[in-house]
Amino acid sequence: MRFRVLGPVRMVPAAPSAAKPRAVLATLLVQSNNVVSTHTLIDELWNTEPPRTATTTLQVYVSQLRKALLDGTADGQQPLITRPPGYLLRVAPDDLDLLVFEALREQGRAAYGRQEYDEASRTLERALALWTGPALSGIPHGPTLETSAIRLDELRAEVLEQRIAADLRLGRHQELVGELMALAHDHPLRETVHCHLMVALYRSGRQSDALQVYHQARRALVSELGVEPGPVMSRLLERILACDPALSWRGGTGSGRPAARPVRDEPVVWLPAPVGDFTGRAAQLALGRRFLHGEGPVPGRVLAVSGPAGSGKTTLAARLAHETADRFPDGRVLLLLRDAGGRALTAEAAVATLLRRLRGEPEPGADGPPAEPAEPGELLHERTRGRKMLVVLDDAVSEAQVRPLLAALPDSTVVLTSRHALGALEGVQHLVLDVFDADEARDLLLRCGGPAMREDPAAVAETARLCGNLPLALRVAAAGLVARPHWTAADLARRLADERTRLGALALGDLDVRGSLLTAYRDVGVPERQAFRLLGLAPLPDFALWSAAALLDCEPAEAERYAEELVRAQLLEARPRTGRLTPVRYGFHPLLRALSLELLGQGSAAATGRLCRAFLALARHADARLAPGRDRLVEPVAPPAGIHPEELVGAAPLQWFQEESAGLLEAVRQAHATGQWGLCCALASAAAGYYEAGALWDDWESSHQLALDAARQAADTRAEAVVLCSLGDLAWQRRQPTAAVDRYRLAWHVFTREGDRASAARCVSGEADVMLGQGRVARAERGYVRALTAGRAAGDERGAANALRGLALVALREGRATEALSRLAEYEAAAGRAGDRRWQEYAVRLTRTVTEARAAARETELGTAPLEVRPGVWLLPAHLTGG
């Protein structure tokens, strides 16, 4: 062998002694039999700063090389020739160690693929023997040589790892331990080396040392790179902890090829350990038992268990498999249809993995998978034919993924779990899991949460509510409490209360609610993921389709398509409602909503604005139907495309308000939180009439305090005055006269300063109502007269009607029935001009009551009877109303 680059660069008989000519030689050798351009050689020698004489100097180096090469050539042929745009060095396959190495590497890989492990080991060892040190050492490196050295060192590591894998296949685990320990020390971040060492130690009876290797490698990865071990290494750890029999050495034939494994008579059992504190699911377990015993309502061999992420589908399926061992004497095997990263296995990979488990062969990543001489589906069919086996196919993604498996298992009973019902599969019995009911949730927390949980029933109920009764979340919460004995159950509930950090609190070791939910999220397409994130902004506890359309900025039909796709993926819930304006509403499980908001992050103001404008358009329409002519804050708004208030509200404005009350208040909060001050004020103002009519004092207070702050943040004095006036009405409804007067007067000052005489007059009427309610009749009358004068001067028919109503009540209070009837007639006429039918009807009813009372000749009693007065609700004494 004339040239060597797998170590110090050498040539026979001798290379030039100077460093740069040797660098030229090395560059030509690593690209032997290929043209290397002059520019590449110049860059290699001088990088980005070549001298002016670089080309001439390079020619001198090439001349020196040609002389040395020709001296060592037997046939007198010059191997280094000029070929534009540079030079080419002709090298025979046996003259360069790199070419020999690559040929042996390919031969060894091919032998390994044929399962001829003895030959593979010998061939790969010959390849490794060519190395005498770090590749291309002893010379300065430019960009080409540096890249080549890295590539060659990586190839050497790959060949070494495959030779070790072949030796493990041959049962040489004990001899490999020392070599692997040295390699692991030299390469602390190379996971494949650590995996091989773990297998060798485990097979040598040193399980604890194998576990120690994992933890040392993990510490190195975390401290150096900030990452956890990959899925292959993590899976190997699980198998070592479970004493997986497939990891043990089973011996082989003298040729080095693994002995053929006959079909085994003993049962194949590959199931997770049974859950000792299994809770609930009595009805579902009973149905599953009946099916597996051939007593199900639908005859068949496939039971499909579906339900949202974290609902306990795998736990239920494994429980059934453990309980029915006598029904399946040939084996029970569980196969997860996803890889360690949560990605769906292909049908082919799933078939191959199941076949390995039935054969008891190692998993990929331990010491390499065997090549299959025949089609895996046929082999799986042959392996299970005529045998009574139960196969659990866990976490299926689609019908297409499981159909090849079902076809390859015609004689086996199958329990199939998935997040959504695989309805296109034929002959399947479906069993749907939901979250726990309240009793099951409480029982799981009490059983798994230790003494701290049993001491605080209120915290148990609150924890279950915050976890949404999701079994996985409940189990993690309980385990977290046990792991932290210094916590109380109330501490746990308090940490779960914040929606922004709730998912972070529901993680413990390898139990992670967020990770389980994210798998379902990643299963849907990109548009559906965006819809999932944006719909987290929708009102609680549920929302109508028009809310989804506003958030997603699309037509309702398209929003429905997104919503139904998310429902199918178990990321959203459809909630039918009978007797409602919107027969189907949608809502989130609380943990899924927390995930949605967590993924949404910043940048939600635009979607929030669309939702709030839709609410405002509909609320204004409903408010106008309830009280035509009512004066509210005006924020210019047009309903989003496809949202038609007359269709959604229709002739039932009060019902619309009742259905959307919680969402309307949430819209006020969101508008305030995103700094959309005008929308916040207008929304609160549009809802005030409904809050007053429904006596929803707390909602009225909450919305208007936010609106008051929004008006002040925006320096909108008129909005501030309108909100203050409404808060004055609220205080009077709550029998808080001092607060009511203060708010009316503050609003009056602002309106007066702004020149809004009509609104100022309404504040005077409000204060007069307070005076009348306190029995200060004369002061109330003066206030109503002032308000009537100002209202008429401003052309405000509604304000004038309000003052006339008050004067009529004063006259009734003072026993002046004739004057009261006159004022009521004026009030009815003014209400008609203002377009308020409700006030007109009230005037008619009160007029009729007074007239009937006079006809009964009870005018004296009328003059002295007390009258209770509240804004919007004016009550005559019981003897006048017949009550």
Side-chain angles (χ1 to χ4, degrees):
M1 200 174 299
R2 188 177 180 193
F3 304 104
R4 291 185 177 274
V5 294
L6 303 180
V9 177
R10 290 184 292 170
M11 184 184 84
V12 177
S17 58
K20 289 193 182 296
R22 293 173 67 223
V24 173
L25 173 63
T27 307
L28 293 168
L29 285 172
V30 296
Q31 299 186 57
S32 58
N33 301 310
N34 290 287
V35 176
V36 181
S37 71
T38 300
H39 291 301
T40 299
L41 292 169
I42 290 174
D43 288 345
E44 187 64 31
L45 295 175
W46 294 286
N47 210 332
T48 58
E49 298 180 356
R52 288 185 300 107
T53 60
T55 303
T56 303
T57 305
L58 175 62
Q59 291 171 350
V60 171
Y61 294 156
V62 170
S63 177
Q64 294 173 0
L65 278 176
R66 279 176 169 158
K67 182 177 184 305
L69 289 166
L70 192 59
D71 289 344
T73 303
D75 58 5
Q77 294 290 323
Q78 175 57 255
L80 177 55
I81 61 175
T82 301
R83 183 167 292 176
Y87 304 94
L88 180 146
L89 180 60
R90 292 179 295 194
V91 179
D94 294 336
D95 280 352
L96 176 61
D97 59 354
L98 173 57
L99 297 179
V100 177
F101 172 79
E102 289 179 334
L104 291 172
R105 170 175 169 266
E106 289 303 318
Q107 294 171 23
R109 286 168 59 89
Y112 191 96
R114 296 191 302 270
Q115 303 181 51
E116 295 172 353
Y117 302 121
D118 194 19
E119 180 184 342
S121 176
R122 289 195 306 271
T123 303
L124 295 172
E125 184 60 37
R126 285 171 55 205
L128 293 169
L130 295 171
W131 287 72
T132 59
L136 298 167
S137 55
I139 57 172
H141 286 184
T144 300
L145 291 180
E146 183 66 28
T147 302
S148 298
I150 293 172
R151 182 182 71 86
L152 292 175
D153 285 336
E154 183 60 29
L155 282 178
R156 180 182 184 278
E158 176 195 311
V159 168
L160 178 60
E161 289 169 357
Q162 189 157 38
R163 192 225 81 204
I164 291 170
D167 288 344
L168 284 171
R169 293 280 195 176
L170 296 167
R172 298 169 181 169
H173 37 271
Q174 291 183 331
E175 302 97 301
L176 288 170
V177 168
E179 178 185 5
L180 284 167
M181 282 186 170
L183 286 171
H185 180 270
D186 293 339
H187 305 280
L189 304 181
R190 200 165 186 95
E191 293 188 45
T192 305
V193 171
H194 289 87
C195 286
H196 286 328
L197 178 54
M198 291 166 67
V199 172
L201 288 169
Y202 179 79
R203 290 181 177 174
S204 301
R206 299 168 61 179
Q207 182 183 19
S208 60
D209 290 338
L211 297 176
Q212 184 65 27
V213 169
Y214 172 86
H215 292 296
Q216 288 174 349
R218 180 183 177 277
R219 283 194 294 270
L221 289 166
V222 171
S223 62
E224 293 292 330
L225 304 179
V227 299
E228 293 287 337
V232 172
M233 195 170 184
S234 299
R235 174 62 182 146
L236 180 57
L237 173 69
E238 295 174 3
R239 296 176 65 194
I240 289 174
L241 288 170
C243 297
D244 183 353
L247 275 181
S248 301
W249 168 245
R250 288 176 169 77
T253 64
S255 67
R257 182 188 295 271
R261 293 181 175 88
V263 176
R264 300 183 303 181
D265 294 327
E266 68 272 14
V268 179
V269 179
W270 194 301
L271 296 173
V275 177
D277 50 11
F278 187 91
T279 303
R281 305 300 193 197
Q284 293 84 354
L285 277 174
L287 188 152
R289 292 189 194 104
R290 289 196 301 273
F291 179 85
L292 296 179
H293 283 82
E295 304 167 359
V298 178
R301 63 183 186 89
V302 181
L303 175 66
V305 182
S306 60
S311 59
K313 303 179 293 296
T314 304
T315 303
L316 178 76
R319 179 80 171 190
L320 288 169
H322 282 293
E323 288 186 352
T324 56
D326 58 325
R327 294 283 302 170
F328 305 101
D330 293 319
R332 293 156 292 135
V333 177
L334 183 144
L335 175 64
L336 177 61
L337 296 180
R338 295 180 187 267
D339 63 18
R343 296 176 293 273
L345 295 180
T346 63
E348 295 76 11
V351 168
T353 303
L354 182 56
L355 184 59
R356 279 195 299 272
R357 292 193 176 176
L358 293 176
R359 287 173 160 177
E361 292 178 347
E363 297 289 305
D367 48 4
E372 295 294 354
E375 202 279 326
E378 296 176 3
L379 294 173
L380 182 59
H381 187 177
E382 181 66 25
R383 174 66 55 171
T384 59
R385 186 170 57 187
R387 307 183 74 190
K388 296 195 68 174
M389 299 190 67
L390 174 64
V391 178
V392 179
L393 301 178
D394 188 34
D395 208 359
V397 175
S398 66
E399 291 88 346
Q401 184 191 33
V402 299
R403 276 200 173 99
L405 281 158
L406 296 178
L409 297 167
D411 296 336
S412 299
T413 300
V414 176
V415 175
L416 175 66
T417 77
S418 63
R419 288 183 171 85
H420 56 270
L422 302 179
L425 295 177
E426 303 82 11
V428 173
Q429 168 71 52
H430 290 277
L431 191 163
V432 180
L433 293 188
D434 202 347
V435 298
F436 276 163
D437 61 32
D439 291 338
E440 289 175 323
R442 184 189 65 249
D443 290 346
L444 180 59
L445 288 173
L446 292 176
R447 180 175 294 186
C448 302
M453 194 67 80
R454 292 190 287 273
E455 293 169 359
D456 194 342
V460 170
E462 180 65 3
T463 299
R465 184 187 70 81
L466 294 171
C467 291
N469 290 348
L470 188 70
L472 176 61
L474 295 167
R475 189 171 292 279
V476 175
L481 187 59
V482 172
R484 302 175 181 91
H486 55 287
W487 281 15
T488 65
D491 291 332
L492 173 64
R494 191 160 48 250
R495 283 168 168 82
L496 294 174
D498 190 341
E499 191 174 39
R500 297 167 299 177
T501 59
R502 187 177 304 161
L503 289 174
L506 290 173
L508 184 68
D510 61 347
L511 294 175
D512 184 5
V513 174
R514 180 193 285 107
S516 178
L517 301 180
L518 276 173
T519 302
Y521 167 77
R522 290 170 181 148
D523 278 348
V524 299
V526 173
E528 287 75 21
R529 293 181 197 176
Q530 182 181 17
F532 172 77
R533 296 192 299 270
L534 287 174
L535 290 178
L537 298 170
L540 296 174
D542 50 40
F543 56 92
L545 196 58
W546 64 262
S547 297
L551 285 168
L552 302 180
D553 196 17
C554 64
E555 292 287 335
E558 187 177 2
E560 183 177 28
R561 182 179 66 79
Y562 282 126
E564 289 299 324
E565 186 62 30
L566 292 175
V567 168
R568 182 177 180 274
Q570 297 283 1
L571 291 170
L572 196 64
E573 298 172 2
R575 300 171 181 173
R577 297 286 191 270
T578 57
R580 302 285 292 268
L581 290 176
T582 49
V584 177
R585 298 176 70 85
Y586 297 91
F588 279 99
H589 184 278
L591 296 180
L592 281 168
R593 183 173 188 269
L595 176 67
S596 171
L597 295 176
E598 181 181 286
L599 293 172
L600 179 64
Q602 303 299 317
S604 60
T608 298
R610 293 194 298 270
L611 177 65
C612 291
R613 286 191 292 275
F615 260 114
L616 181 56
L618 293 168
R620 277 186 179 160
H621 184 81
D623 190 46
R625 296 295 301 271
L626 281 176
R630 190 197 305 275
D631 187 23
R632 295 291 181 219
L633 277 173
V634 176
E635 166 82 7
V637 64
I643 296 178
H644 306 290
E646 63 279 3
E647 294 179 5
L648 294 168
V649 175
L654 185 59
Q655 186 179 2
W656 183 88
F657 269 121
Q658 290 169 341
E659 290 186 11
E660 303 293 351
S661 176
L664 187 56
L665 181 57
E666 181 63 22
V668 174
R669 293 192 180 109
Q670 290 192 25
H672 185 273
T674 53
Q676 301 185 71
W677 309 126
L679 271 175
C680 178
C681 296
L683 279 165
S685 180
Y690 168 66
Y691 293 148
E692 180 179 352
L696 302 174
W697 313 139
D698 291 339
D699 289 356
W700 192 350
E701 180 78 32
S702 298
S703 64
H704 279 56
Q705 287 297 341
L706 290 171
L708 183 61
D709 179 70
R712 289 169 176 169
Q713 293 278 1
D716 187 341
T717 52
R718 187 178 187 282
E720 180 181 356
V722 170
V723 174
L724 281 169
C725 187
S726 183
L727 285 170
D729 291 342
L730 172 61
W732 178 226
Q733 295 282 11
R734 285 181 151 178
R735 309 301 176 91
Q736 299 167 347
T738 302
V741 170
D742 288 344
R743 288 166 174 173
Y744 285 138
R745 288 180 178 175
L746 281 172
W748 178 85
H749 281 293
V750 176
F751 283 133
T752 301
R753 187 169 65 248
E754 294 289 317
D756 188 347
R757 292 184 298 169
S759 297
R762 296 187 188 188
C763 295
V764 173
S765 285
E767 184 176 347
D769 287 338
V770 178
M771 298 299 108
L772 183 59
Q774 291 181 312
R776 302 162 72 176
V777 180
R779 187 168 175 180
E781 187 170 16
R782 289 194 298 273
Y784 289 131
V785 170
R786 284 176 53 207
L788 177 61
T789 303
R792 284 174 170 168
D796 180 17
E797 291 290 355
R798 188 171 182 82
N802 197 22
L804 288 165
R805 180 266 312 163
L807 288 170
L809 294 176
V810 166
L812 287 175
R813 185 70 172 263
E814 293 294 301
R816 306 192 300 265
T818 302
E819 180 185 345
L821 290 171
S822 175
R823 293 295 191 186
L824 284 172
E826 292 181 83
Y827 167 50
E828 180 184 354
R833 289 191 296 272
D836 194 326
R837 293 184 59 188
R838 188 176 66 120
W839 279 11
Q840 283 183 288
E841 292 168 359
Y842 170 75
V844 170
R845 289 197 306 272
L846 187 54
T847 299
R848 185 185 306 117
T849 301
V850 175
T851 302
E852 290 173 355
R854 294 184 71 191
R858 300 177 63 184
E859 292 181 352
T860 302
E861 188 173 359
L862 266 172
T864 59
L867 198 65
E868 181 182 6
V869 184
R870 284 186 287 150
V873 184
W874 307 291
L875 303 178
L876 288 170
H879 65 270
L880 292 180
T881 61

